[in-house]
Amino acid sequence: AMLRASLRQVSAALKEGRVTPTELCQRCLALIKSTKFLNAYITVAEETALKQAKESEERYKRGQPLGILDGIPVAVKDNFNTAGIETTCASNMLKGYISPYNATVVQKLLDQGAVLLGKTNLDEFAMGSGSTDGVFGPVRNPWSYSKQYKEKSVPKSHSEDEDFNWVITGGSSGGSAAAVSSFTCFAALGSDTGGSTRNPAAHCGVVGLKPTYGLISRHGLIPLVNSMDVPGILTRCVDDAAVLLGSLAGHDPKDSTTIQDDFKPFELPNLTDLSKLSIGIPKEYHAPGLSSEILALWSKAADLFKNAGAKVVEVSLPHTRYSIVCYHVLCTAEVASNMARFDGLEYGHRSDKKESTESMYAATRREGFNDVVRGRILSGNYFLLKQNYEKYFVKALKVRRLIANDFVKVFRSGVDILLTPTTLSDAAPYMEFIQEDNRTRSAQDDILTQAANMAGLPAINVPTALSERGLPVGLQFIGRSFQEKQLLTVAKWFEKQVQFPMIQLEEVKRHDSCVLQHQKSASFS
Amino acid sequence: MAARGCGAVWRRARQRGAGGPGPGPAPAPSPRGQRAVACNARGGAVPAGKSGLAPWIPVVGLEIHAQISSNSKLFSGAQVQFAAPPNSLVSFFDASLPGTLPVLNRRCVEAAVMTGLALNCSINKKSLFDRKHYFYADLPAGYQITQQRVPIAVNGSLSYSLCVDNKMSQMVTRTVRIKQIQLEQDSGKSLHDDTRSQTLVDLNRAGVGLMEVVMEPDMCCGEEAAAAVRELQLILQTLGSSQAVMAEGQLRVDANVSVHRPGEPYGVRTEVKNINSMRFLAKAVDYEIQRQIEELENGGTILNETRAFDSKLGCTVPMRDKEGKQDYRFMPEPNLPPLILYDEKSLPANMNHQQVINIDWIHKRLPDLPSVKREKLVEQYGILPEHSFTLLNEDGLAEFFETVVKQTQMKPKKVIGWILNDLLSYLKQHSLTVKESPVSSFLLADLLNLLEKKEISSTAAKQVLAELWKGEGKTPLEIVKEQKLELLQDQKELEQICQAVIDGQENE
């Protein structure tokens, strides 16, 4: 039961001595083992985690814990550098790569006594929306094995085939979302470039926060799109997200794009008076493909605010519909550039081909990257060619500005927070999901989340209800730049109203064998 | 007429080249005006060509990379140091480890601003960084961070002087426009081991800050190019923004060379690289001009190519193209916000001064530039302009001169002779720098004082100086006494000596 507690609850328990950091760590490690089939973790750092837990325990014994995070088991997406622990980006290119330094966010967690359990699974280099396209195989959504899903989903075939009914986590931070959702850790770091934290948070029924661009350091986060990447926070509740934000945010001299001002951590008040609050409902988010039950949930949520006295207004973000195509150009261009460093010389995979430096480069990159990464590199380089730069890249930058300006206008009109769905539907079964290619899927799945990245705005997924199939559905709140406190306060109020049910995980050990088989086939594909 | 400096070069080059020159026709006025004509107006021996057409007008532009003198690199904390053990000065960022980010070095920005101001540029209050992509073993990130779109400084000028026909007494002053100065990263070094067919990479230099100074094609011969670069070098060294030692690669010059007929558009240009001394710069440019003229006169065409100067053969040779036609796929560097600079007017009141760079503040603190120093020397000491050039050309010589002047009653005009004829020629003979001189400015001043007070003759002074070079720690006075070199001024003593000599004679 302790593992199901929120971060703040378990922190209190640690302080009162109801549980020790080592016990907590061991229990998490045991649960990670028994839920191995979820494939949420790429690396479990058992030894260092236990060592960190022991050190934390000593601090508690001396009565000098480092703060609320001391002794709290956390997980980190495997695209953040961790000194001494493999950082793979779920790619052959970085398999076995051990970074000599910690990402700033990782260092901050460790400095505050957190226990790092391991590195979580993702799409290769965070390029994807399913957590299905990594070299270590897909992540399984813990809700696939929940009582809620099993009761409601009509089995298409008999129980021996139930392995085909499991649903995806969304992505690309699917491992982190699954880890928090399955209680193997109390908080996890993801990254969010086009929705990669909020999307899996929605599908896994956890809180997923994408802070304002520049609020949290990207130093040590292996980039996807530098101008949009933000470290994401995945927790069980909004209060916990505020705790993590408080411990991670602020200027980092190693990241010139972080804000100069100091960040003051905050506690979230309980909102009682909503009469001064103005909630905007962007009409463009009635996107094609939005499931009717999510649409219904969305308007129910709007009503909830209206009934509580808030002003709810329809607003327009006319350029949001160009977001996907614009993102495609900007993302692939930066990917092409960022991936240029992986040439096999300094680190990472190096091909045996030795005829010439050029042939070694080519073979290294062919062997090291999957089709998705290579495809994006190719299109990105195309957009950056001298003859195409103005036509595509510069134009995309202009469209990006228009998208961002839409938000500015809406917020200037008096709207405080935007309320939108996070995803078009609940999580798709894996077998269904892989029918479409990565590009199509990403384009569909990011549609509701991406504009916030374009504009650099803070946004959060709050788990809202279960779908007809018994799977989580979340709604998204988008706030003003650097107004995380307001955003989270409103999210917390909403969270309290909707009382999202806790996942009821069934005994799951029997899945172990079949998953291991699957993992093998995935990593050789 | 001004500047006939290049003429001699052309004549020599021409004679070495194909075909007898013969007296050419008088040069027609060219669109580049007097200067271009002047450049080719030497004694009718200009390369007018067999065709008997108007002479060729060579056009030379320069791209100069000056390594910024700073403790750490442009975007990382790694140290900058010449000839350190390979790969000992490499930060995670320099090795392009995934997840690392650039952090701009304030010192490098200040150096670029100083240089920009010294070169009469307008400083852009907002400049941007870009990525320039190409694959090369010594470029770990696969791109170089540079300033392609909006560089830190633009539209400047540099005045330089050169002497005509190698005569110090005939100096002319020229001006070259500075197109821009941009901040960018240096690359590492690749060492190719052909016998074992491997490439070794040293990343010590990777990420060191460079200022790329782009000079417009306002020059027309090697000598001009060399003089312009020499003046730039002096300026950089005066500012301290770069040590600018060519031999250590702190100043690297690429020359863009083309030739055309008067009234015609510029010809196809070639880029000459691998120029690692001032002397070779002049040689390489002149060779390339000559080569192009010959090529064209023989009915050939000039390819837009990169050529390397081979200092052993004294010629330029085509460099093999690395990747065929390069498309650098420029893109804004997303990890660096725009570089914002302030002046007194735009400086926000409550800004932390550690965090901002104030252009006016830097401007006020610029040291005297070489041209100003020369003027001051001429004005203050009444020395000849060409002497002021010599004084500044040797590191520390002007200071040496000034110290000596301060310590003696001798007129500066006389002191300069001792400095240039005696000190400098001795140092040159023994390949010593001014700082290494065995005779300090104080010793020389002592000596000149003895001379000035007529205690010794000028012949004796030379003798003393010869003794001083030995560096045995004796003062001039001691040497004079030891060797009895004093001039006698005491009438009685002189009489006594004379008497003694006479007495001696009588005794015999």
Side-chain angles (χ1 to χ4, degrees):
Chain A
M2 188 66 80
L3 295 188
R4 295 172 180 242
S6 76
L7 192 158
R8 278 153 54 104
Q9 287 166 338
V10 82
S11 181
L14 283 168
K15 219 172 184 178
E16 291 157 18
R18 281 186 277 137
V19 65
T20 69
T22 306
E23 281 166 11
L24 202 56
C25 179
Q26 281 167 340
R27 279 198 231 169
C28 285
L29 289 169
L31 191 58
I32 289 173
K33 269 183 200 136
S34 65
T35 56
K36 196 163 189 276
F37 63 91
L38 293 176
N39 207 14
Y41 289 81
I42 290 174
T43 305
V44 181
E46 186 164 344
E47 224 171 282
T48 51
L50 286 168
K51 191 169 154 268
Q52 287 160 1
K54 198 168 162 244
E55 286 163 8
S56 167
E57 196 155 329
E58 272 151 29
R59 288 192 293 270
Y60 274 104
K61 271 186 197 155
R62 288 199 307 268
Q64 293 169 323
L66 294 169
I68 190 164
L69 289 185
D70 205 341
I72 305 286
V74 296
V76 171
K77 189 177 181 180
D78 208 18
N79 58 350
F80 287 95
N81 282 281
T82 46
I85 303 170
E86 226 176 296
T87 301
T88 69
C89 281
S91 174
N92 276 326
M93 189 56 92
L94 284 178
K95 238 184 201 173
Y97 174 69
I98 296 182
S99 167
Y101 74 99
N102 279 322
T104 296
V105 282
V106 171
Q107 193 60 51
K108 282 191 171 187
L109 289 175
L110 296 177
D111 288 347
Q112 292 170 78
V115 173
L116 178 57
L117 295 171
K119 306 292 290 292
T120 57
N121 205 347
L122 64 156
D123 291 297
E124 183 161 333
F125 282 99
M127 295 181 207
S129 58
S131 301
T132 52
D133 286 337
V135 76
F136 299 103
V139 187
R140 299 181 175 217
N141 192 324
W143 285 84
S144 314
Y145 307 97
S146 70
K147 218 174 140 199
Q148 290 103 320
Y149 177 60
K150 292 210 167 146
E151 278 172 6
K152 290 194 178 169
S153 68
V154 189
K156 285 184 182 118
S157 46
H158 291 291
S159 59
E160 59 260 36
D161 292 333
E162 77 174 359
D163 196 42
F164 291 98
N165 282 333
W166 64 269
V167 297
I168 59 151
T169 54
S172 64
S173 312
S176 288
V180 173
S181 162
S182 59
F183 307 115
T184 58
C185 65
F186 289 87
L189 295 185
S191 60
D192 195 313
T193 311
S196 277
T197 291
R198 290 159 287 158
N199 175 287
H203 286 324
C204 293
V206 297
V207 168
L209 170 65
K210 170 224 170 297
T212 309
Y213 182 84
L215 186 58
I216 299 190
S217 168
R218 292 180 294 114
H219 172 252
L221 166 62
I222 298 178
L224 175 57
V225 185
N226 301 282
S227 60
M228 295 186 218
D229 290 341
V230 182
I233 292 167
L234 295 119
T235 54
R236 298 215 230 292
C237 63
V238 176
D239 268 327
D240 287 356
V243 169
L244 258 281
L245 183 71
S247 59
L248 299 176
H251 178 66
D252 179 8
K254 291 180 179 142
D255 177 357
S256 311
T257 62
T258 51
I259 43 148
Q260 292 292 328
D261 312 320
D262 285 334
F263 177 82
K264 286 191 196 75
F266 49 76
E267 274 198 37
L268 297 176
N270 282 312
L271 202 59
T272 47
D273 178 16
L274 275 70
S275 65
K276 286 187 190 109
L277 187 71
S278 173
I279 301 283
I281 309 290
K283 60 179 181 189
E284 287 79 8
Y285 281 67
H286 290 271
L290 186 66
S291 79
S292 54
E293 57 177 334
I294 290 191
L295 183 60
L297 200 64
W298 184 18
S299 53
K300 218 173 121 190
D303 288 343
L304 198 62
F305 277 99
K306 207 183 286 171
N307 295 337
K311 197 172 144 197
V312 177
V313 288
E314 191 186 71
V315 297
S316 173
L317 299 164
H319 297 97
T320 289
R321 62 198 182 100
Y322 304 112
S323 169
I324 292 290
V325 57
C326 169
Y327 177 86
H328 180 70
V329 175
L330 297 178
C331 170
T332 56
E334 282 201 33
V335 163
S337 175
N338 288 332
M339 295 295 150
R341 70 189 58 214
F342 297 102
D343 57 12
L345 285 185
E346 282 82 13
Y347 42 78
H349 175 70
R350 183 191 293 188
S351 171
D352 294 331
K353 277 237 156 62
K354 281 176 187 156
E355 288 85 71
S356 69
T357 311
E358 283 74 20
S359 69
M360 191 275 283
Y361 285 164
T364 295
R365 290 162 70 77
R366 188 177 58 246
E367 294 160 13
F369 294 137
N370 70 6
D371 289 350
V372 178
V373 179
R374 291 213 306 279
R376 292 202 192 180
I377 291 173
L378 199 66
S379 31
N381 277 323
Y382 175 80
F383 296 136
L384 289 177
L385 285 177
K386 207 172 174 188
Q387 80 246 31
N388 295 334
Y389 183 76
E390 288 286 328
K391 205 160 62 177
Y392 296 101
F393 191 80
V394 171
K395 201 161 271 177
L397 284 180
K398 286 178 183 166
V399 175
R400 181 182 181 177
R401 176 55 60 92
L402 292 174
I403 293 169
N405 284 348
D406 281 353
F407 284 101
V408 171
K409 278 181 206 155
V410 164
F411 286 126
R412 206 176 280 157
S413 77
V415 168
D416 299 304
I417 304 277
L418 297 171
L419 171 63
T420 79
T422 311
T423 57
L424 294 173
S425 63
D426 58 4
Y430 176 69
M431 287 306 172
E432 214 172 277
F433 186 77
I434 58 170
Q435 300 302 310
E436 300 253 40
D437 67 273
N438 179 293
R439 159 139 171 66
T440 314
R441 278 165 2 216
S442 299
Q444 285 166 354
D445 297 334
D446 288 349
I447 197 154
L448 303 169
T449 45
Q450 207 172 65
N453 297 81
M454 291 275 188
L457 300 170
I460 188 171
N461 170 74
V462 181
T464 307
L466 293 185
S467 68
E468 283 158 16
R469 295 192 298 153
L471 293 172
V473 172
L475 291 177
Q476 172 179 239
F477 294 90
I478 304 172
R480 292 193 174 103
S481 272
F482 299 107
Q483 300 300 313
E484 268 78 3
K485 188 172 180 186
Q486 185 185 40
L487 175 71
L488 292 180
T489 303
V490 171
K492 181 181 172 179
W493 179 86
F494 181 72
E495 177 185 50
K496 202 174 163 193
Q497 310 303 309
V498 295
Q499 291 293 317
F500 181 74
M502 190 169 274
I503 184 172
Q504 290 172 282
L505 277 176
E506 301 209 311
E507 189 50 51
V508 283
K509 273 189 181 148
R510 60 204 162 87
H511 294 284
D512 282 5
S513 56
C514 55
V515 169
L516 281 176
Q517 273 171 1
H518 187 93
Q519 251 178 307
K520 260 183 205 156
S521 67
S523 50
F524 285 108
S525 66
Chain B
M1 184 188 272
R4 312 196 299 191
C6 297
V9 175
W10 299 130
R11 185 171 49 198
R12 278 200 300 276
R14 191 65 202 160
Q15 280 162 353
R16 189 200 54 209
S30 86
R32 294 184 72 236
Q34 255 193 326
R35 301 197 25 214
V37 178
C39 237
N40 297 283
R42 181 63 190 172
V46 207
K50 301 172 212 167
S51 50
L53 286 170
W56 292 98
I57 299 175
V59 175
V60 181
L62 300 174
E63 285 171 23
I64 300 149
H65 288 89
Q67 213 175 70
I68 297 171
S69 167
S70 61
N71 295 328
S72 57
K73 297 185 180 179
L74 181 56
F75 297 120
S76 82
Q79 251 192 308
V80 178
Q81 198 189 308
F82 182 69
N87 294 310
S88 61
L89 309 172
V90 185
S91 73
F92 298 153
F93 174 79
D94 304 326
S96 80
L97 294 199
T100 52
L101 299 170
V103 178
L104 184 57
N105 181 344
R106 183 196 169 97
R107 156 69 192 160
C108 294
V109 177
E110 287 170 341
V113 171
M114 280 170 87
T115 308
L117 291 170
L119 296 178
N120 310 303
C121 292
S122 33
I123 307 294
N124 278 322
K125 297 217 183 92
K126 177 182 173 184
S127 60
L128 303 171
F129 290 96
D130 304 282
R131 292 180 178 181
K132 176 183 179 177
H133 298 89
Y134 60 96
F135 282 107
Y136 207 67
D138 53 27
L139 187 74
Y143 56 82
Q144 175 198 35
I145 304 179
T146 177
Q147 295 195 298
Q148 190 235 355
R149 290 166 298 163
V150 188
I152 190 163
V154 292
N155 298 335
S157 64
L158 168 71
S159 290
Y160 60 95
S161 299
L162 67 164
C163 46
V164 182
D165 295 346
N166 274 329
K167 281 184 214 138
M168 278 305 286
S169 54
Q170 276 179 282
M171 308 270 314
V172 290
T173 300
R174 295 275 166 71
T175 299
V176 54
R177 288 168 299 151
I178 307 288
K179 183 168 179 251
Q180 63 184 57
I181 300 175
Q182 63 198 50
L183 281 166
E184 62 184 35
Q185 295 173 299
D186 210 339
S187 64
K189 282 180 188 165
S190 296
L191 306 158
H192 302 286
D193 180 348
D194 285 335
T195 48
R196 274 185 279 181
S197 80
Q198 56 180 7
T199 299
L200 302 170
V201 178
D202 178 7
L203 295 181
N204 281 351
R205 206 182 64 178
V208 170
L210 295 177
M211 294 177 280
E212 182 178 335
V213 180
V214 183
M215 291 184 184
E216 299 279 12
D218 295 343
M219 291 152 287
C220 62
C221 64
E223 212 180 321
E224 281 193 4
V229 172
R230 176 63 185 140
E231 187 67 12
L232 175 68
Q233 186 181 40
L234 278 177
I235 290 173
L236 295 174
Q237 288 167 345
T238 304
L239 298 172
S241 59
S242 170
Q243 290 172 349
V245 179
M246 278 187 103
E248 292 184 9
Q250 289 152 345
L251 196 70
R252 303 195 282 272
V253 183
D254 299 337
N256 291 311
V257 177
S258 69
V259 300
H260 65 282
R261 300 277 192 191
E264 287 177 10
Y266 286 1
V268 175
R269 64 175 201 197
T270 59
E271 187 179 11
V272 185
K273 288 180 179 275
N274 261 7
I275 304 169
N276 49 24
S277 82
M278 220 64 82
R279 198 160 53 89
F280 291 153
L281 169 60
K283 263 193 167 175
V285 167
D286 288 338
Y287 176 88
E288 182 59 17
I289 290 170
Q290 198 56 40
R291 186 192 69 83
Q292 291 190 9
I293 290 173
E294 273 162 31
E295 186 71 42
L296 291 169
E297 297 207 333
N298 292 332
T301 50
I302 304 302
L303 299 173
N304 182 350
E305 63 181 352
T306 305
R307 301 177 67 88
F309 180 67
D310 187 320
S311 56
K312 282 187 197 121
L313 300 174
C315 67
T316 67
V317 288
M319 280 172 92
R320 69 190 161 83
D321 237 334
K322 282 174 209 159
E323 264 184 55
K325 213 103 176 102
Q326 285 271 5
D327 189 320
Y328 292 119
R329 291 157 283 135
F330 282 101
M331 186 190 92
E333 166 58 63
N335 294 319
L336 290 166
L339 170 57
I340 306 290
L341 304 173
Y342 298 90
D343 57 17
E344 295 298 352
K345 260 191 238 162
S346 66
L347 193 70
N350 52 354
M351 203 73 154
N352 180 355
H353 285 260
Q354 299 292 331
Q355 280 173 3
V356 299
I357 290 176
N358 182 340
I359 301 166
D360 291 334
W361 196 89
I362 294 175
H363 204 167
K364 276 182 218 148
R365 283 160 185 77
L366 280 186
D368 278 348
L369 295 179
S371 56
V372 177
K373 264 197 204 164
R374 288 188 201 109
E375 272 173 40
K376 282 191 180 172
L377 286 171
V378 170
E379 211 172 285
Q380 196 173 341
Y381 302 111
I383 60 173
L384 294 170
E386 54 263 35
H387 288 162
S388 72
F389 275 89
T390 316
L391 281 181
L392 256 66
N393 266 338
E394 294 304 318
D395 189 27
L397 191 61
E399 289 75 18
F400 193 102
F401 166 73
E402 291 195 273
T403 323
V404 175
V405 167
K406 266 184 214 143
Q407 315 265 334
T408 67
Q409 289 84 47
M410 189 184 267
K411 287 221 169 98
K413 269 185 177 174
K414 275 170 82 184
V415 174
I416 193 78
W418 284 88
I419 295 281
L420 299 184
N421 301 331
D422 297 281
L423 176 79
L424 193 57
S425 55
Y426 178 89
L427 294 178
K428 285 256 157 93
Q429 252 173 43
H430 295 84
S431 304
L432 294 173
T433 63
V434 174
K435 275 189 193 125
E436 290 163 342
S437 167
V439 177
S440 70
S441 50
F442 297 98
L443 284 181
L444 185 62
D446 281 352
L447 175 64
L448 297 186
N449 275 334
L450 293 178
L451 181 63
E452 189 66 13
K453 287 187 222 148
K454 300 217 167 70
E455 288 177 22
I456 53 174
S457 68
S458 111
T459 323
K462 304 249 160 164
Q463 256 178 281
V464 176
L465 188 57
E467 198 63 31
L468 283 173
W469 287 133
K470 293 178 186 163
E472 287 167 346
K474 290 177 198 160
T475 65
L477 195 61
E478 283 165 356
I479 297 170
V480 168
K481 291 244 164 90
E482 255 177 44
Q483 307 201 0
K484 300 202 189 322
L485 295 167
E486 306 97 325
L487 284 178
L488 296 179
Q489 285 161 342
D490 187 331
Q491 184 76 25
K492 265 187 191 158
E493 197 184 338
L494 197 59
E495 279 172 13
Q496 277 169 10
I497 292 173
C498 293
Q499 195 57 53
V501 173
I502 294 165
D503 292 350
Q505 292 269 325
E506 282 173 355
N507 287 346
E508 269 173 31

